Amino acid sequence: MSRIYRSYIDSFSDLRKEVWLLAFITFINRAGTMVIPFLSLYLTKSRGFSLEQVGWILTFFGLGSVAGSWLGGKLVDTIGHYKTMTGSLILSSVLFVLLQFPTTFWGICAGIFLVMMVADMFRPAVFVAISAYSKPENRTRSVTLIRLAINLGFSAGPALGGLIIATSGYSGLFWVDGITCLAAGLLLLKLLHPKKAIENKLEENLNPLGVMSDRPYLLFIVSMILFGFIFIQYFSTMPLYYAQGFKMSEFEIGLLLGMNGFLIFLLEMPLIKYLESRKFNPIGLMIWGTALVGISFLLVNLSGLIGILIVGMIFLTIGEMIAFPFSNTFALKRAERGKQGSYMALYSIAFSTSHIFGHNSGMQLIENFGYEFTWYTMVFLAILACALLVWLKITIRKEAISSPPN
């Protein structure tokens, strides 16, 4: 047990203090974003909107996320990641508090769009910050630490949010969201100065490549949109399958979904350290991760036993733990060729796009064709995403051969 414990602790070693501080700030920010998990309940119970109206409001949520990711990338390239992160946190703290006051449908649509646009300016900026503060050899583990902070924040936030609703109503959520965003922004100003960034001449590229002219990167983005489309089904349509197909209670569904976060907390950092030390090709690992997520849907279709749901969740989690960190690392490495903010904004937009179309498309497939057809559709999309990643791997290899040595 002591060897396992030491191995787990060692997986966190050699990360710079600034990366830990960035993870801590990210944790506070994500733990404080409590309105988001309860948004549908707030809109139906407190504001009296229909499910159709809620669906459109959530569409504006996704559109705001896309706009914020794009704007954040532009700001990073113009004023830098530090000012972009600080501005996003402090301004979103005000907007979260104000979001409780609109009462009309269009007022809330505009409010949620504006909140998400400002809040998600943080996403491309934090990716570039990881590149700035981490050592190149530890970059994937640095990304993993930030992911761990986000997962822990999203785990703690809903639990605390439910307590706040029970004691002070939905209004308390908006105030706490605003205060925690402000606290994260002030901590960023106090603890994480841009002078502590590692000097990286690649960030000062005098002839940056425009992201839209980088065809291999665009191929990568399309594969990530497909991966995101498949992945989010586990947190929108799959819980319906648990309830309707297996008659599971909300508590049982919560435990099964919670297993995902627990396994990530327990295993992701040691797994990434092991894979990183073996110098595997990042694209090859993305292929394996995507394949495992696809297999999880196939397994669910092949058996009607409730235990297969646990096996499927394990496959999904392992695939997620491999695909996300190494796709992030690939994007950061590729971004060194051009404007980093624009590159990382497009990476963020890939997953925002998945949210805009994935939830609704999954629901429509289930409504019209049933669960079995929907899960086989996800398997097909996983195969397509893997094929695109294989194409990307071949393209990158040809690019390396044709490029002159430095």
mmCIF file of all heavy atoms in Angstrom, residues 22 72-73 75-77 80-82 84-85 121-134 139 143 197-198 200 203 328 331-332 335-336 338-345 347-348:
data_model
loop_
_atom_site.group_PDB
_atom_site.id
_atom_site.type_symbol
_atom_site.label_atom_id
_atom_site.label_comp_id
_atom_site.label_asym_id
_atom_site.label_seq_id
_atom_site.Cartn_x
_atom_site.Cartn_y
_atom_site.Cartn_z
ATOM 1 N N LEU A 22 -2.676 27.935 -10.331
ATOM 2 C CA LEU A 22 -3.661 28.030 -11.399
ATOM 3 C C LEU A 22 -4.764 26.989 -11.198
ATOM 4 O O LEU A 22 -5.956 27.280 -11.407
ATOM 5 C CB LEU A 22 -2.972 27.824 -12.746
ATOM 6 C CG LEU A 22 -3.816 28.041 -14.004
ATOM 7 C CD1 LEU A 22 -4.315 29.470 -14.087
ATOM 8 C CD2 LEU A 22 -3.002 27.694 -15.255
ATOM 9 N N GLY A 72 -12.351 35.102 -26.250
ATOM 10 C CA GLY A 72 -11.219 34.875 -25.351
ATOM 11 C C GLY A 72 -9.934 34.642 -26.118
ATOM 12 O O GLY A 72 -8.870 35.151 -25.752
ATOM 13 N N GLY A 73 -10.027 33.859 -27.209
ATOM 14 C CA GLY A 73 -8.849 33.621 -28.026
ATOM 15 C C GLY A 73 -8.315 34.895 -28.648
ATOM 16 O O GLY A 73 -7.102 35.134 -28.677
ATOM 17 N N LEU A 75 -8.688 37.935 -27.473
ATOM 18 C CA LEU A 75 -8.124 38.772 -26.411
ATOM 19 C C LEU A 75 -6.761 38.255 -25.962
ATOM 20 O O LEU A 75 -5.851 39.045 -25.669
ATOM 21 C CB LEU A 75 -9.087 38.831 -25.224
ATOM 22 C CG LEU A 75 -10.369 39.647 -25.444
ATOM 23 C CD1 LEU A 75 -11.323 39.475 -24.268
ATOM 24 C CD2 LEU A 75 -10.024 41.128 -25.641
ATOM 25 N N VAL A 76 -6.607 36.921 -25.895
ATOM 26 C CA VAL A 76 -5.307 36.352 -25.518
ATOM 27 C C VAL A 76 -4.230 36.792 -26.496
ATOM 28 O O VAL A 76 -3.116 37.165 -26.112
ATOM 29 C CB VAL A 76 -5.384 34.811 -25.442
ATOM 30 C CG1 VAL A 76 -3.990 34.208 -25.336
ATOM 31 C CG2 VAL A 76 -6.225 34.381 -24.243
ATOM 32 N N ASP A 77 -4.564 36.766 -27.788
ATOM 33 C CA ASP A 77 -3.595 37.173 -28.813
ATOM 34 C C ASP A 77 -3.331 38.677 -28.794
ATOM 35 O O ASP A 77 -2.308 39.135 -29.296
ATOM 36 C CB ASP A 77 -4.088 36.766 -30.199
ATOM 37 C CG ASP A 77 -4.050 35.253 -30.403
ATOM 38 O OD1 ASP A 77 -3.224 34.590 -29.752
ATOM 39 O OD2 ASP A 77 -4.858 34.743 -31.204
ATOM 40 N N GLY A 80 -3.002 39.220 -23.957
ATOM 41 C CA GLY A 80 -2.348 38.170 -23.175
ATOM 42 C C GLY A 80 -3.309 37.387 -22.300
ATOM 43 O O GLY A 80 -4.430 37.822 -22.020
ATOM 44 N N HIS A 81 -2.853 36.188 -21.880
ATOM 45 C CA HIS A 81 -3.725 35.285 -21.104
ATOM 46 C C HIS A 81 -4.034 35.821 -19.717
ATOM 47 O O HIS A 81 -5.128 35.622 -19.193
ATOM 48 C CB HIS A 81 -3.077 33.901 -20.996
ATOM 49 C CG HIS A 81 -1.802 33.870 -20.218
ATOM 50 N ND1 HIS A 81 -0.566 33.996 -20.816
ATOM 51 C CD2 HIS A 81 -1.565 33.744 -18.888
ATOM 52 C CE1 HIS A 81 0.367 33.927 -19.893
ATOM 53 N NE2 HIS A 81 -0.208 33.789 -18.722
ATOM 54 N N TYR A 82 -3.095 36.536 -19.103
ATOM 55 C CA TYR A 82 -3.255 36.983 -17.715
ATOM 56 C C TYR A 82 -4.408 37.988 -17.597
ATOM 57 O O TYR A 82 -5.312 37.827 -16.764
ATOM 58 C CB TYR A 82 -1.944 37.598 -17.230
ATOM 59 C CG TYR A 82 -1.951 38.045 -15.793
ATOM 60 C CD1 TYR A 82 -1.836 37.127 -14.753
ATOM 61 C CD2 TYR A 82 -2.047 39.393 -15.471
ATOM 62 C CE1 TYR A 82 -1.828 37.537 -13.435
ATOM 63 C CE2 TYR A 82 -2.043 39.814 -14.154
ATOM 64 C CZ TYR A 82 -1.926 38.880 -13.138
ATOM 65 O OH TYR A 82 -1.922 39.299 -11.823
ATOM 66 N N THR A 84 -6.762 38.523 -19.758
ATOM 67 C CA THR A 84 -8.014 37.907 -20.212
ATOM 68 C C THR A 84 -8.659 37.095 -19.089
ATOM 69 O O THR A 84 -9.871 37.195 -18.851
ATOM 70 C CB THR A 84 -7.766 37.003 -21.431
ATOM 71 O OG1 THR A 84 -7.150 37.766 -22.474
ATOM 72 C CG2 THR A 84 -9.068 36.412 -21.949
ATOM 73 N N MET A 85 -7.862 36.277 -18.377
ATOM 74 C CA MET A 85 -8.404 35.485 -17.270
ATOM 75 C C MET A 85 -8.942 36.390 -16.163
ATOM 76 O O MET A 85 -10.038 36.176 -15.640
ATOM 77 C CB MET A 85 -7.324 34.560 -16.710
ATOM 78 C CG MET A 85 -6.996 33.377 -17.587
ATOM 79 S SD MET A 85 -5.995 32.111 -16.741
ATOM 80 C CE MET A 85 -4.520 33.045 -16.381
ATOM 81 N N MET A 121 -14.625 33.194 -21.800
ATOM 82 C CA MET A 121 -13.382 33.824 -22.249
ATOM 83 C C MET A 121 -12.197 33.250 -21.469
ATOM 84 O O MET A 121 -11.057 33.276 -21.924
ATOM 85 C CB MET A 121 -13.440 35.345 -22.021
ATOM 86 C CG MET A 121 -14.292 36.086 -23.033
ATOM 87 S SD MET A 121 -14.779 37.771 -22.518
ATOM 88 C CE MET A 121 -13.382 38.310 -21.551
ATOM 89 N N PHE A 122 -12.491 32.705 -20.285
ATOM 90 C CA PHE A 122 -11.472 32.135 -19.404
ATOM 91 C C PHE A 122 -10.845 30.880 -20.004
ATOM 92 O O PHE A 122 -9.670 30.595 -19.757
ATOM 93 C CB PHE A 122 -12.130 31.809 -18.053
ATOM 94 C CG PHE A 122 -11.186 31.311 -16.992
ATOM 95 C CD1 PHE A 122 -10.481 32.196 -16.202
ATOM 96 C CD2 PHE A 122 -11.017 29.954 -16.766
ATOM 97 C CE1 PHE A 122 -9.622 31.750 -15.218
ATOM 98 C CE2 PHE A 122 -10.158 29.483 -15.786
ATOM 99 C CZ PHE A 122 -9.462 30.394 -15.006
ATOM 100 N N ARG A 123 -11.614 30.124 -20.805
ATOM 101 C CA ARG A 123 -11.175 28.790 -21.232
ATOM 102 C C ARG A 123 -9.931 28.800 -22.121
ATOM 103 O O ARG A 123 -8.937 28.139 -21.802
ATOM 104 C CB ARG A 123 -12.328 28.055 -21.896
ATOM 105 C CG ARG A 123 -13.443 27.691 -20.913
ATOM 106 C CD ARG A 123 -14.677 27.176 -21.598
ATOM 107 N NE ARG A 123 -14.429 25.918 -22.295
ATOM 108 C CZ ARG A 123 -15.329 25.304 -23.041
ATOM 109 N NH1 ARG A 123 -16.519 25.841 -23.212
ATOM 110 N NH2 ARG A 123 -15.038 24.162 -23.618
ATOM 111 N N PRO A 124 -9.929 29.521 -23.269
ATOM 112 C CA PRO A 124 -8.683 29.527 -24.048
ATOM 113 C C PRO A 124 -7.525 30.173 -23.307
ATOM 114 O O PRO A 124 -6.363 29.797 -23.496
ATOM 115 C CB PRO A 124 -9.056 30.325 -25.308
ATOM 116 C CG PRO A 124 -10.274 31.088 -24.950
ATOM 117 C CD PRO A 124 -10.995 30.280 -23.928
ATOM 118 N N ALA A 125 -7.842 31.142 -22.444
ATOM 119 C CA ALA A 125 -6.786 31.821 -21.687
ATOM 120 C C ALA A 125 -6.096 30.873 -20.711
ATOM 121 O O ALA A 125 -4.870 30.905 -20.559
ATOM 122 C CB ALA A 125 -7.377 33.016 -20.934
ATOM 123 N N VAL A 126 -6.865 30.011 -20.051
ATOM 124 C CA VAL A 126 -6.252 29.097 -19.080
ATOM 125 C C VAL A 126 -5.422 28.037 -19.795
ATOM 126 O O VAL A 126 -4.389 27.595 -19.284
ATOM 127 C CB VAL A 126 -7.328 28.453 -18.166
ATOM 128 C CG1 VAL A 126 -8.102 27.347 -18.855
ATOM 129 C CG2 VAL A 126 -6.697 27.914 -16.885
ATOM 130 N N PHE A 127 -5.827 27.639 -20.999
ATOM 131 C CA PHE A 127 -5.018 26.692 -21.771
ATOM 132 C C PHE A 127 -3.664 27.289 -22.127
ATOM 133 O O PHE A 127 -2.627 26.638 -22.016
ATOM 134 C CB PHE A 127 -5.747 26.283 -23.057
ATOM 135 C CG PHE A 127 -6.945 25.406 -22.840
ATOM 136 C CD1 PHE A 127 -8.096 25.563 -23.598
ATOM 137 C CD2 PHE A 127 -6.931 24.405 -21.876
ATOM 138 C CE1 PHE A 127 -9.199 24.751 -23.403
ATOM 139 C CE2 PHE A 127 -8.024 23.583 -21.675
ATOM 140 C CZ PHE A 127 -9.162 23.755 -22.437
ATOM 141 N N VAL A 128 -3.667 28.558 -22.566
ATOM 142 C CA VAL A 128 -2.408 29.223 -22.904
ATOM 143 C C VAL A 128 -1.581 29.440 -21.635
ATOM 144 O O VAL A 128 -0.350 29.342 -21.665
ATOM 145 C CB VAL A 128 -2.680 30.562 -23.625
ATOM 146 C CG1 VAL A 128 -1.373 31.318 -23.882
ATOM 147 C CG2 VAL A 128 -3.390 30.310 -24.954
ATOM 148 N N ALA A 129 -2.247 29.709 -20.513
ATOM 149 C CA ALA A 129 -1.535 29.879 -19.247
ATOM 150 C C ALA A 129 -0.812 28.596 -18.847
ATOM 151 O O ALA A 129 0.307 28.647 -18.323
ATOM 152 C CB ALA A 129 -2.512 30.296 -18.148
ATOM 153 N N ILE A 130 -1.437 27.447 -19.083
ATOM 154 C CA ILE A 130 -0.776 26.169 -18.794
ATOM 155 C C ILE A 130 0.522 26.073 -19.577
ATOM 156 O O ILE A 130 1.569 25.678 -19.054
ATOM 157 C CB ILE A 130 -1.707 24.986 -19.151
ATOM 158 C CG1 ILE A 130 -2.906 24.951 -18.214
ATOM 159 C CG2 ILE A 130 -0.943 23.664 -19.070
ATOM 160 C CD1 ILE A 130 -3.997 23.988 -18.661
ATOM 161 N N SER A 131 0.461 26.446 -20.853
ATOM 162 C CA SER A 131 1.652 26.418 -21.689
ATOM 163 C C SER A 131 2.711 27.378 -21.168
ATOM 164 O O SER A 131 3.912 27.089 -21.216
ATOM 165 C CB SER A 131 1.276 26.776 -23.131
ATOM 166 O OG SER A 131 2.402 26.745 -23.973
ATOM 167 N N ALA A 132 2.272 28.528 -20.638
ATOM 168 C CA ALA A 132 3.212 29.546 -20.172
ATOM 169 C C ALA A 132 3.871 29.178 -18.847
ATOM 170 O O ALA A 132 5.054 29.483 -18.628
ATOM 171 C CB ALA A 132 2.485 30.887 -20.036
ATOM 172 N N TYR A 133 3.133 28.519 -17.949
ATOM 173 C CA TYR A 133 3.642 28.276 -16.602
ATOM 174 C C TYR A 133 4.243 26.888 -16.401
ATOM 175 O O TYR A 133 4.937 26.655 -15.423
ATOM 176 C CB TYR A 133 2.530 28.492 -15.566
ATOM 177 C CG TYR A 133 2.102 29.929 -15.422
ATOM 178 C CD1 TYR A 133 0.835 30.347 -15.792
ATOM 179 C CD2 TYR A 133 2.978 30.891 -14.906
ATOM 180 C CE1 TYR A 133 0.437 31.664 -15.663
ATOM 181 C CE2 TYR A 133 2.595 32.215 -14.775
ATOM 182 C CZ TYR A 133 1.316 32.590 -15.164
ATOM 183 O OH TYR A 133 0.934 33.901 -15.039
ATOM 184 N N SER A 134 3.950 25.944 -17.297
ATOM 185 C CA SER A 134 4.425 24.575 -17.073
ATOM 186 C C SER A 134 5.697 24.294 -17.859
ATOM 187 O O SER A 134 5.956 24.911 -18.901
ATOM 188 C CB SER A 134 3.348 23.561 -17.476
ATOM 189 O OG SER A 134 3.064 23.651 -18.860
ATOM 190 N N ARG A 139 3.868 19.133 -19.383
ATOM 191 C CA ARG A 139 2.687 19.855 -19.855
ATOM 192 C C ARG A 139 1.415 19.012 -19.777
ATOM 193 O O ARG A 139 0.360 19.501 -19.359
ATOM 194 C CB ARG A 139 2.918 20.326 -21.293
ATOM 195 C CG ARG A 139 1.820 21.240 -21.808
ATOM 196 C CD ARG A 139 2.208 21.836 -23.150
ATOM 197 N NE ARG A 139 3.300 22.782 -23.004
ATOM 198 C CZ ARG A 139 3.972 23.304 -24.041
ATOM 199 N NH1 ARG A 139 3.651 22.933 -25.267
ATOM 200 N NH2 ARG A 139 4.939 24.168 -23.843
ATOM 201 N N VAL A 143 -1.907 19.862 -17.589
ATOM 202 C CA VAL A 143 -3.277 19.869 -18.107
ATOM 203 C C VAL A 143 -4.167 18.968 -17.258
ATOM 204 O O VAL A 143 -5.301 19.324 -16.917
ATOM 205 C CB VAL A 143 -3.288 19.398 -19.581
ATOM 206 C CG1 VAL A 143 -4.713 19.128 -20.061
ATOM 207 C CG2 VAL A 143 -2.620 20.441 -20.478
ATOM 208 N N ALA A 197 5.957 33.354 -15.573
ATOM 209 C CA ALA A 197 5.838 32.431 -16.699
ATOM 210 C C ALA A 197 7.221 32.026 -17.193
ATOM 211 O O ALA A 197 8.189 32.788 -17.102
ATOM 212 C CB ALA A 197 5.044 33.077 -17.837
ATOM 213 N N ILE A 198 7.312 30.799 -17.704
ATOM 214 C CA ILE A 198 8.560 30.312 -18.275
ATOM 215 C C ILE A 198 8.780 31.006 -19.618
ATOM 216 O O ILE A 198 7.863 31.096 -20.436
ATOM 217 C CB ILE A 198 8.512 28.787 -18.469
ATOM 218 C CG1 ILE A 198 8.428 28.089 -17.104
ATOM 219 C CG2 ILE A 198 9.714 28.278 -19.242
ATOM 220 C CD1 ILE A 198 8.230 26.594 -17.202
ATOM 221 N N ASN A 200 9.403 31.441 -23.195
ATOM 222 C CA ASN A 200 9.204 30.526 -24.320
ATOM 223 C C ASN A 200 9.172 31.342 -25.605
ATOM 224 O O ASN A 200 8.193 32.009 -25.911
ATOM 225 C CB ASN A 200 7.892 29.751 -24.157
ATOM 226 C CG ASN A 200 7.722 28.697 -25.231
ATOM 227 O OD1 ASN A 200 8.533 28.588 -26.140
ATOM 228 N ND2 ASN A 200 6.653 27.920 -25.117
ATOM 229 N N GLU A 203 6.314 31.418 -28.115
ATOM 230 C CA GLU A 203 5.122 32.229 -27.922
ATOM 231 C C GLU A 203 5.239 33.561 -28.647
ATOM 232 O O GLU A 203 4.264 34.260 -28.846
ATOM 233 C CB GLU A 203 4.883 32.466 -26.428
ATOM 234 C CG GLU A 203 4.499 31.216 -25.675
ATOM 235 C CD GLU A 203 4.244 31.515 -24.211
ATOM 236 O OE1 GLU A 203 3.682 32.578 -23.924
ATOM 237 O OE2 GLU A 203 4.620 30.706 -23.369
ATOM 238 N N ASN A 328 -5.542 17.908 -25.496
ATOM 239 C CA ASN A 328 -5.182 19.244 -25.039
ATOM 240 C C ASN A 328 -3.713 19.531 -25.286
ATOM 241 O O ASN A 328 -3.328 20.608 -25.749
ATOM 242 C CB ASN A 328 -5.503 19.369 -23.545
ATOM 243 C CG ASN A 328 -5.825 20.793 -23.145
ATOM 244 O OD1 ASN A 328 -5.155 21.722 -23.567
ATOM 245 N ND2 ASN A 328 -6.845 20.952 -22.337
ATOM 246 N N ALA A 331 -3.097 20.158 -28.943
ATOM 247 C CA ALA A 331 -3.536 21.501 -29.328
ATOM 248 C C ALA A 331 -2.528 22.559 -28.878
ATOM 249 O O ALA A 331 -2.201 23.482 -29.633
ATOM 250 C CB ALA A 331 -4.913 21.790 -28.729
ATOM 251 N N LEU A 332 -2.020 22.428 -27.647
ATOM 252 C CA LEU A 332 -1.029 23.379 -27.141
ATOM 253 C C LEU A 332 0.257 23.341 -27.955
ATOM 254 O O LEU A 332 0.848 24.382 -28.261
ATOM 255 C CB LEU A 332 -0.722 23.088 -25.668
ATOM 256 C CG LEU A 332 -1.792 23.476 -24.649
ATOM 257 C CD1 LEU A 332 -1.463 22.892 -23.278
ATOM 258 C CD2 LEU A 332 -1.914 24.993 -24.558
ATOM 259 N N ALA A 335 -0.323 24.874 -31.296
ATOM 260 C CA ALA A 335 -0.536 26.320 -31.176
ATOM 261 C C ALA A 335 0.769 27.106 -31.201
ATOM 262 O O ALA A 335 0.756 28.313 -31.460
ATOM 263 C CB ALA A 335 -1.301 26.628 -29.893
ATOM 264 N N GLU A 336 1.878 26.427 -30.930
ATOM 265 C CA GLU A 336 3.163 27.120 -30.953
ATOM 266 C C GLU A 336 3.523 27.598 -32.357
ATOM 267 O O GLU A 336 4.395 28.449 -32.525
ATOM 268 C CB GLU A 336 4.263 26.195 -30.414
ATOM 269 C CG GLU A 336 4.118 25.890 -28.936
ATOM 270 C CD GLU A 336 5.121 24.864 -28.440
ATOM 271 O OE1 GLU A 336 5.792 24.233 -29.291
ATOM 272 O OE2 GLU A 336 5.227 24.692 -27.217
ATOM 273 N N GLY A 338 1.472 29.236 -34.302
ATOM 274 C CA GLY A 338 0.714 30.429 -34.664
ATOM 275 C C GLY A 338 0.235 31.208 -33.464
ATOM 276 O O GLY A 338 0.887 31.240 -32.420
ATOM 277 N N LYS A 339 -0.915 31.841 -33.611
ATOM 278 C CA LYS A 339 -1.497 32.636 -32.532
ATOM 279 C C LYS A 339 -2.142 31.683 -31.534
ATOM 280 O O LYS A 339 -3.172 31.077 -31.815
ATOM 281 C CB LYS A 339 -2.526 33.609 -33.101
ATOM 282 C CG LYS A 339 -1.902 34.655 -34.032
ATOM 283 C CD LYS A 339 -2.956 35.600 -34.574
ATOM 284 C CE LYS A 339 -2.329 36.662 -35.469
ATOM 285 N NZ LYS A 339 -3.331 37.603 -36.016
ATOM 286 N N GLN A 340 -1.541 31.592 -30.347
ATOM 287 C CA GLN A 340 -1.977 30.575 -29.383
ATOM 288 C C GLN A 340 -3.421 30.764 -28.954
ATOM 289 O O GLN A 340 -4.163 29.795 -28.788
ATOM 290 C CB GLN A 340 -1.056 30.593 -28.163
ATOM 291 C CG GLN A 340 0.331 30.067 -28.451
ATOM 292 C CD GLN A 340 1.069 29.689 -27.182
ATOM 293 O OE1 GLN A 340 0.614 29.942 -26.077
ATOM 294 N NE2 GLN A 340 2.216 29.078 -27.346
ATOM 295 N N GLY A 341 -3.824 32.026 -28.758
ATOM 296 C CA GLY A 341 -5.202 32.273 -28.335
ATOM 297 C C GLY A 341 -6.204 31.756 -29.341
ATOM 298 O O GLY A 341 -7.206 31.124 -28.986
ATOM 299 N N SER A 342 -5.957 32.001 -30.628
ATOM 300 C CA SER A 342 -6.876 31.552 -31.679
ATOM 301 C C SER A 342 -6.925 30.031 -31.761
ATOM 302 O O SER A 342 -7.996 29.431 -31.942
ATOM 303 C CB SER A 342 -6.443 32.125 -33.029
ATOM 304 O OG SER A 342 -6.495 33.532 -33.015
ATOM 305 N N TYR A 343 -5.777 29.384 -31.612
ATOM 306 C CA TYR A 343 -5.716 27.925 -31.643
ATOM 307 C C TYR A 343 -6.519 27.316 -30.487
ATOM 308 O O TYR A 343 -7.332 26.409 -30.689
ATOM 309 C CB TYR A 343 -4.261 27.446 -31.576
ATOM 310 C CG TYR A 343 -3.603 27.254 -32.914
ATOM 311 C CD1 TYR A 343 -3.173 28.342 -33.657
ATOM 312 C CD2 TYR A 343 -3.416 25.989 -33.456
ATOM 313 C CE1 TYR A 343 -2.552 28.179 -34.894
ATOM 314 C CE2 TYR A 343 -2.808 25.813 -34.699
ATOM 315 C CZ TYR A 343 -2.381 26.912 -35.408
ATOM 316 O OH TYR A 343 -1.783 26.728 -36.624
ATOM 317 N N MET A 344 -6.288 27.830 -29.273
ATOM 318 C CA MET A 344 -6.958 27.245 -28.117
ATOM 319 C C MET A 344 -8.432 27.625 -28.061
ATOM 320 O O MET A 344 -9.253 26.892 -27.513
ATOM 321 C CB MET A 344 -6.243 27.655 -26.830
ATOM 322 C CG MET A 344 -4.786 27.187 -26.759
ATOM 323 S SD MET A 344 -4.524 25.468 -27.309
ATOM 324 C CE MET A 344 -5.503 24.553 -26.118
ATOM 325 N N ALA A 345 -8.773 28.785 -28.651
ATOM 326 C CA ALA A 345 -10.189 29.153 -28.748
ATOM 327 C C ALA A 345 -10.938 28.158 -29.623
ATOM 328 O O ALA A 345 -12.038 27.714 -29.286
ATOM 329 C CB ALA A 345 -10.327 30.564 -29.322
ATOM 330 N N TYR A 347 -10.118 25.084 -30.157
ATOM 331 C CA TYR A 347 -10.209 23.833 -29.392
ATOM 332 C C TYR A 347 -11.394 23.886 -28.420
ATOM 333 O O TYR A 347 -12.156 22.922 -28.296
ATOM 334 C CB TYR A 347 -8.902 23.611 -28.633
ATOM 335 C CG TYR A 347 -8.876 22.368 -27.766
ATOM 336 C CD1 TYR A 347 -8.724 21.108 -28.329
ATOM 337 C CD2 TYR A 347 -8.995 22.470 -26.388
ATOM 338 C CE1 TYR A 347 -8.699 19.966 -27.537
ATOM 339 C CE2 TYR A 347 -8.962 21.338 -25.588
ATOM 340 C CZ TYR A 347 -8.818 20.092 -26.162
ATOM 341 O OH TYR A 347 -8.793 18.968 -25.371
ATOM 342 N N SER A 348 -11.566 25.016 -27.725
ATOM 343 C CA SER A 348 -12.699 25.178 -26.804
ATOM 344 C C SER A 348 -14.019 25.172 -27.554
ATOM 345 O O SER A 348 -15.008 24.577 -27.112
ATOM 346 C CB SER A 348 -12.555 26.492 -26.023
ATOM 347 O OG SER A 348 -11.391 26.507 -25.241
#
